[in-house]
């Protein structure tokens, strides 16, 4: 029973492992979860604020008030392409895949990011460089008109993806992925030196894109904000927490995973829960752990998993979970959580 509870809790926190979908029922459940993620992402992409922002950016780009620096060609400028791909590569792969599916639902499965950003699938530049210039200087696949069109589209799509990912993360469109930015991959950021460093905020991505690619821009975040591209997400240590569950007796004692499980399960059913808002993480002291467990138990009681305990009873339950003595209290909390949401 404990193994089943641990597997259920880990699936709620980090999602089912790909290898687990080896039976028809598991594949059907995985497909249902993927479909629900796509629906949430599509709702964010089609929301009125994001749609208005994309239209405002398109007007600004077409008017020439927002665009790439002169002389940059997205088809062949290796430095530009590398800088933009590094910036978007700082996002977690799962989040970036959700953004591409929302922005271009009909794109070819497995198509590289460069196809979406730079139009490599249309120009086929790297596969057949001898065709460059075909059709004359002003027209054709490799002409100046096509280069300007691809440059404008690149600006629109980069800003749209950054804005969408910020809004989708704040809306928790992918509940099992609290981390928006990768911990391993980095990019060259403004004011942080020439070395690549991890990205922590969406505003850093906008400023780095403006510094590397856009022309005539001082504070590109302010310019984009006036167009409706408002970004506010900042990755904290809580977002980077390792949510995997290895041992129920020890991994739930700090209350962080328990609170996150309550929030994820509640939001999956459309209920309101924000137990993570008051968490103290990482929790090193006993008082911090008691606070976190009490917050999770209070939120669980508010959702009807069990009768809301009084103040003294809540403190007793919190001490039992933190000390794992008796362990049956921890098991009872898990049973209540699974009984309410499983």
């Amino acid at each position: 029973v404990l193994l089943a509870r641990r597997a259920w809790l880990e699936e709620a926190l980090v999602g089912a492992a790909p290898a687990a979908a080896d039976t028809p029922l598991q594949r059907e459940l995985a497909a249902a979860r993927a479909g629900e993620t796509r629906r949430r992402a599509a709702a964010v992409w089609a929301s009125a604020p994001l749609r208005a922002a994309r239209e405002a950016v398109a007007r600004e780009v077409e008017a020439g008030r927002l665009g790439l620096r002169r002389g940059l060609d997205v088809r062949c400028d290796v430095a530009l392409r590398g800088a933009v791909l590094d910036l978007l590569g700082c996002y977690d792969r799962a989040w970036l895949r959700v953004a591409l599916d929302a922005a271009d639902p009909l794109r070819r499965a497995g198509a590289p990011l460069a196809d979406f950003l730079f139009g490599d699938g249309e120009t086929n530049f790297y596969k057949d460089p001898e065709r460059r210039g075909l059709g004359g200087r002003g027209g054709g696949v490799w002409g100046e008109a096509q280069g300007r069109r691809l440059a404008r589209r690149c600006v629109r799509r980069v800003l749209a993806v950054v804005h969408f990912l910020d809004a989708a993360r704040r809306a928790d469109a992918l509940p099992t992925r609290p981390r928006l930015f990768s911990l391993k991959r980095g990019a060259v950021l403004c004011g942080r030196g020439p070395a690549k460093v991890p990205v922590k905020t969406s505003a850093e991505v906008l400023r780095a894109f403006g510094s590397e690619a856009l022309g005539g821009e001082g504070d590109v975040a302010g310019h984009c904000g006036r167009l409706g591209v408002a970004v506010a997400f900042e990755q904290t240590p809580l977002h980077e927490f390792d949510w995997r569950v290895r041992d129920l007796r020890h991994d739930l004692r700090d209350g962080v995973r328990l609170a996150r499980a309550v929030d994820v399960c509640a939001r999956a059913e459309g209920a309101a829960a924000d137990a993570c808002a008051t968490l103290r993480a990482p929790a090193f002291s006993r008082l911090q752990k008691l606070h976190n467990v009490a917050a999770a138990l209070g939120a669980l009681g508010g959702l009807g998993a069990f009768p809301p305990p009084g103040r003294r009873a809540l403190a007793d339950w919190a001490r039992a979970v933190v000390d794992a003595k008796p362990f049956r209290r921890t098991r009872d909390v898990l049973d209540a959580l699974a009984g309410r949401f499983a």
Side-chain angles (χ1 to χ4, degrees):
V1 176
L2 286 180
L3 288 176
R5 286 287 181 261
R6 188 193 67 81
W8 175 83
L9 182 62
E10 185 166 1
E11 181 177 345
L13 290 173
V14 300
D22 55 359
T23 67
L25 177 59
Q26 289 170 332
R27 287 194 291 270
E28 184 177 351
L29 291 175
R33 285 192 293 267
E36 182 61 28
T37 298
R38 286 193 293 270
R39 283 191 290 272
R40 286 195 296 264
V44 175
W45 179 265
S47 62
L50 269 70
R51 189 169 60 250
R54 289 196 298 271
E55 293 172 355
V57 168
R59 290 193 298 268
E60 197 82 351
V61 170
E62 293 299 325
R65 294 186 292 269
L66 183 66
L68 298 182
R69 291 197 301 270
R70 289 185 179 181
L72 296 183
D73 191 335
V74 298
R75 298 168 295 184
C76 57
D77 194 311
V78 177
L80 169 66
R81 292 165 63 94
V84 174
L85 290 175
D86 280 347
L87 278 175
L88 294 188
C90 289
Y91 286 98
D92 184 84
R93 289 177 181 270
W95 278 105
L96 190 57
R97 192 180 306 115
V98 166
L100 294 178
D101 288 342
D104 190 7
L106 300 180
R107 73 186 185 97
R108 176 172 53 86
L113 180 60
D115 276 7
F116 175 76
L117 296 177
F118 311 125
D120 284 2
E122 300 174 33
T123 58
N124 208 18
F125 179 80
Y126 285 110
K127 295 180 181 178
D128 191 4
E130 297 301 326
R131 293 180 58 196
R132 188 181 184 194
L134 189 66
R137 290 179 57 84
V141 176
W142 303 107
E144 296 175 357
Q146 174 76 345
R148 290 192 296 268
R149 186 182 73 84
L150 291 176
R152 292 193 296 267
R153 191 176 72 177
C154 176
V155 173
R156 293 197 308 268
R157 289 191 169 182
V158 170
L159 296 181
V161 167
V162 173
H163 190 198
F164 165 79
L165 286 170
D166 186 90
R169 176 58 193 86
R170 286 186 283 134
D172 213 7
L174 197 57
T176 58
R177 290 280 185 163
R179 184 180 66 236
L180 179 61
F181 297 104
S182 171
L183 299 180
K184 298 180 180 179
R185 305 192 65 178
V188 178
L189 302 179
C190 298
R192 303 284 292 275
K196 293 183 179 181
V197 295
V199 177
K200 300 296 181 183
T201 68
S202 301
E204 288 178 337
V205 177
L206 281 184
R207 293 191 180 97
F209 178 62
S211 175
E212 293 287 341
L214 300 183
E217 290 294 337
D219 182 10
V220 67
H223 189 177
C224 292
R226 291 190 293 273
L227 298 176
V229 184
V231 293
F233 177 75
E234 181 175 354
Q235 189 159 291
T236 65
L238 185 62
H239 298 130
E240 300 171 355
F241 193 84
D242 183 5
W243 299 102
R244 289 174 295 179
V245 181
R246 300 174 179 86
D247 186 348
L248 291 176
R249 188 178 294 273
H250 295 91
D251 289 348
L252 302 184
R253 293 176 64 179
D254 61 0
V256 177
R257 292 178 180 83
L258 192 59
R260 175 68 182 171
V262 173
D263 283 356
V264 169
C265 293
R267 290 173 187 173
E269 291 193 357
D274 201 6
C276 290
T278 59
L279 283 184
R280 297 171 183 173
F284 296 113
S285 70
R286 176 178 169 80
L287 286 177
Q288 290 174 326
K289 295 177 181 179
L290 288 172
H291 169 84
N292 293 344
V293 173
L297 293 177
L300 195 57
L303 292 169
F306 53 78
R311 184 174 180 179
R312 180 171 296 181
L314 184 63
D316 291 341
W317 276 80
R319 281 194 296 270
V321 173
V322 170
D323 297 335
K325 294 179 182 179
F327 180 64
R328 66 173 181 272
R329 290 288 183 93
T330 303
R331 190 172 61 242
D332 291 344
V333 171
L334 278 179
D335 289 343
L337 179 63
R340 172 64 176 81
F341 295 108

